[in-house]
Amino acid sequence: MMRNSCINLLIRISRPYISRQASTSTMSRKIAVCQMTSVADKQANMTVVSQLISDAAKEDVKMLFFPEACDYICDNKKDTLESAEPIIGGATVAKYRELAAKHDVWLSMGGIHEKDPENSSKTYNTHIIIDNKGTIVQTYRKLHLFDVEIPERNIRLKESDYSMAGNHIVTPVDTDIGKVGLAICYDMRFPELSTALSILKAEVLTYPSAFTQATGAAHWHVLLRSRAIENQCYVIAAAQSGAHNAKRKSYGHALCVDPWGEVLTDCGEVSPCYKIAEINLDKLKDVRRNMPVFEHRRPNVYSLYNLSLRKALLPEHGSPPAGTGSPHSTTSPQAGPAHVFGHVSVSDSCVFYKSALTYAFVNLRCVIPGHVLVAPLRLAERNSDLTDEEAQDFYKTVRLVQKLMEKVHNTNSCTVTIQDGPDAGQTVKHLHCHIMPRKKGDFIENDLIYLELAKHDQFKAGHPSKPPRSQQEMEEEAATLRKEMAILLEEDKNIS
């Protein structure tokens, strides 16, 4: 074992809301929450990480959680930028992957400095999930940057000086311990993120951190317990602890909190160390059944609109080689070729019309029956990004598809709308037109359709009234529309 390591503690606490059966359930998995004091020496930090993994793996843990900046912490911007590495091709992440496979454990590497080849003056703060085969399953770029200056407490940390913010909430990752929702440190102060992840069916929320001592003493335990209680999730917060250099100290107290808000583990200020806790999904289900807050939410009154969600790995972070992917991969299989649609893809089997420059496809979640989409084949983000030729073809296709959907659904009206830009509600950075055939009385008030469209991405979070459609259902609709489109084109040809 490592010098100064914490006592490895397996927490088994009985509570009134947990049945005896649940305490011995096969739904229980061990995790290790880790604490360390990163310095500027990357090799020294890697030695600590390696030893923690080696020791914890001997205790049959399924997943280890490491803190933000587990790769290094420097005392100046120049060294911070020069030490950064890319996710794919970097020696640091390659070693993490090797350790995961060697010890047969999942790893949450809580926030490394990701080098951006296109911007040498900034990095991303990127959380990486690696499975027990060494595959990068998912990555998350920190959304909220810690730009705080409190002179009376001698606090000044401007993360934006050297880091860029991410642009997506990442859908929870299926792991050996449950569905894990990804965040980093300062993100915990924004409950909208944790609420979105819980709506997306997260069972565990992670907040790998390097909290300052002043803010940690005031808010660390309160915030983490709150996130666990309000979302009825386990919360795991690996932490940095102690003095990294003359300029910076971290609070420590790496935690695991259960869905009832009780602290299962607390590493105090000791570093390096880890503690073990049990993630028991039966226990989580008991809490959610006995206090059904998810059922009591009022999405008709309040809601989270326009979530920018990402499920697939970013292209620059690679994808698992064919035949070696994790069975827990969050990327859904698609039948046959696919078309790029912003940060996602559309199976060719779901496309029902294609012109030279435009295509039309069925929707995963429909605001109303017949809700389909039209987009340019080229990845053009905004209406203004289309060439004249593309614009002509795009709007010609919109008119044709509208005519088809009114014919198929026996209507004489359609809502045809484009959310052009983020402030207009665009969440997929690929120009697209919503075509929705309308019937009298389909909404109590006609314009409520725009509210439902605004909530469209929230429904991707698993809102019970708008479940995702199956691949088979979408393919069957697309096949029907292809046949109807062929008939319509033939009719138009005969008329002309």
Side-chain angles (χ1 to χ4, degrees):
M1 295 293 295
M2 304 179 62
R3 180 185 296 179
N4 294 328
S5 65
C6 296
I7 297 173
N8 300 316
L9 179 62
L10 174 59
I11 302 295
R12 293 187 178 92
I13 302 177
S14 62
R15 297 179 181 81
Y17 59 86
I18 305 171
S19 67
R20 181 177 299 275
Q21 181 180 4
S23 65
T24 58
S25 168
T26 56
M27 297 290 280
S28 182
R29 297 288 186 271
K30 291 183 185 180
I31 64 94
V33 58
C34 300
Q35 187 157 285
M36 60 189 292
T37 309
S38 291
V39 294
D41 185 341
K42 291 199 290 186
Q43 186 54 53
N45 300 327
M46 184 62 75
T47 299
V48 171
V49 169
S50 299
Q51 190 64 55
L52 288 170
I53 294 173
S54 176
D55 291 343
K58 294 172 185 175
E59 302 200 45
D60 195 33
V61 301
K62 296 299 181 183
M63 190 166 186
L64 288 88
F65 293 78
F66 284 88
E68 181 182 30
C70 53
D71 53 350
Y72 63 87
I73 291 179
C74 299
D75 64 359
N76 62 84
K77 179 179 178 179
K78 178 176 180 294
D79 289 346
T80 296
L81 294 175
E82 289 181 352
S83 297
E85 301 174 14
I87 300 294
I88 301 300
T92 298
V93 176
K95 181 62 176 178
Y96 294 156
R97 297 174 68 179
E98 178 186 319
L99 289 167
K102 176 181 178 181
H103 296 285
D104 191 28
V105 292
W106 284 66
L107 296 177
S108 161
M109 307 312 297
I112 73 158
H113 299 79
E114 179 193 350
K115 182 178 182 179
D116 181 5
E118 298 182 0
N119 189 344
S120 60
S121 65
K122 296 286 181 75
T123 66
Y124 286 107
N125 188 342
T126 304
H127 186 164
I128 307 172
I129 300 295
I130 303 170
D131 71 10
N132 60 332
K133 304 301 181 185
T135 302
I136 296 175
V137 175
Q138 190 54 278
T139 59
Y140 161 79
R141 288 169 170 169
K142 188 176 183 180
L143 284 176
H144 305 99
L145 301 183
F146 187 72
D147 278 6
V148 175
E149 191 165 4
I150 311 175
E152 61 270 24
R153 292 180 177 267
N154 196 29
I155 297 174
R156 186 194 183 280
L157 182 56
K158 298 283 189 179
E159 192 173 4
S160 63
D161 286 347
Y162 56 88
S163 188
M164 297 179 290
N167 294 307
H168 302 106
I169 296 172
V170 173
T171 58
V173 183
D174 286 319
T175 75
D176 276 355
I177 68 162
K179 294 182 181 296
V180 176
L182 306 183
I184 300 174
C185 197
Y186 189 50
D187 286 334
M188 75 176 71
R189 292 186 181 273
F190 301 88
E192 300 91 341
L193 174 57
S194 61
T195 300
L197 290 170
S198 70
I199 292 172
L200 287 161
K201 308 301 184 185
E203 296 160 324
V204 178
L205 301 175
T206 55
Y207 296 99
S209 299
F211 243 59
T212 67
Q213 287 189 325
T215 56
H219 300 147
W220 176 255
H221 290 79
V222 174
L223 284 169
L224 291 170
R225 292 187 65 205
S226 296
R227 298 295 85 86
I229 293 167
E230 68 197 9
N231 296 293
Q232 298 181 325
C233 288
Y234 282 90
V235 166
I236 301 173
Q240 294 284 348
S241 181
H244 309 284
N245 50 56
K247 298 179 180 179
R248 186 170 174 183
K249 295 181 180 180
S250 292
Y251 178 66
H253 293 274
L255 296 179
C256 179
V257 185
D258 77 4
W260 195 245
E262 296 200 40
V263 176
L264 302 182
T265 61
D266 186 332
C267 289
E269 298 178 5
V270 181
S271 177
C273 74
Y274 68 90
K275 284 191 176 182
I276 296 175
E278 281 191 4
I279 303 298
N280 189 315
L281 299 185
D282 283 338
K283 185 185 302 183
L284 179 145
K285 291 177 181 177
D286 282 347
V287 173
R288 292 183 175 182
R289 180 177 60 251
N290 295 334
M291 185 75 72
V293 296
F294 290 91
E295 296 176 20
H296 297 160
R297 279 195 171 112
R298 296 288 305 278
N300 58 319
V301 177
Y302 54 81
S303 189
L304 292 174
Y305 295 163
N306 301 328
L307 300 181
S308 181
L309 300 177
R310 176 167 61 81
K311 186 174 183 179
L313 272 171
L314 291 169
E316 58 267 40
H317 295 164
S319 57
T324 62
S326 163
H328 302 279
S329 172
T330 60
T331 304
S332 300
Q334 291 188 337
H339 300 274
V340 173
F341 181 53
H343 59 276
V344 296
S345 59
V346 175
S347 170
D348 196 52
S349 59
C350 294
V351 175
F352 61 87
Y353 177 74
K354 195 185 304 181
S355 67
L357 301 172
T358 310
Y359 69 117
F361 51 99
V362 299
N363 211 343
L364 180 64
R365 289 174 174 84
C366 300
V367 171
I368 56 177
H371 179 181
V372 296
L373 302 172
V374 175
L377 287 168
R378 182 176 67 87
L379 205 170
E381 182 175 341
R382 298 285 309 281
N383 195 15
S384 59
D385 295 327
L386 295 178
T387 65
D388 289 344
E389 185 180 8
E390 285 174 326
Q392 184 178 7
D393 190 80
F394 178 77
Y395 286 101
K396 181 179 179 182
T397 302
V398 166
R399 293 178 63 189
L400 177 63
V401 171
Q402 177 181 351
K403 185 177 181 179
L404 171 72
M405 300 314 294
E406 290 184 7
K407 176 175 181 286
V408 170
H409 288 270
N410 192 29
T411 71
N412 58 9
S413 301
C414 261
T415 293
V416 180
T417 184
I418 295 173
Q419 295 159 297
D420 194 26
D423 294 335
Q426 182 182 15
T427 56
V428 177
K429 294 185 177 181
H430 191 146
L431 175 67
H432 56 284
C433 181
H434 298 265
I435 298 177
M436 297 170 280
R438 302 295 304 276
K439 293 182 179 180
K440 185 176 182 179
D442 54 8
F443 284 89
I444 296 174
E445 295 182 19
N446 187 64
D447 285 352
L448 283 177
I449 192 168
Y450 299 109
L451 178 61
E452 290 303 305
L453 187 62
K455 294 192 293 183
H456 186 247
D457 282 329
Q458 185 203 358
F459 293 145
K460 294 178 183 177
H463 189 285
S465 67
K466 298 288 181 180
R469 300 199 295 165
S470 68
Q471 183 77 11
Q472 179 180 352
E473 184 180 357
M474 292 189 294
E475 289 178 351
E476 288 175 353
E477 182 188 16
T480 298
L481 292 177
R482 280 194 291 271
K483 292 178 182 177
E484 293 294 333
M485 179 64 84
I487 294 171
L488 178 62
L489 292 173
E490 187 62 30
E491 290 174 349
D492 288 349
K493 180 180 176 182
N494 292 336
I495 292 173
S496 61

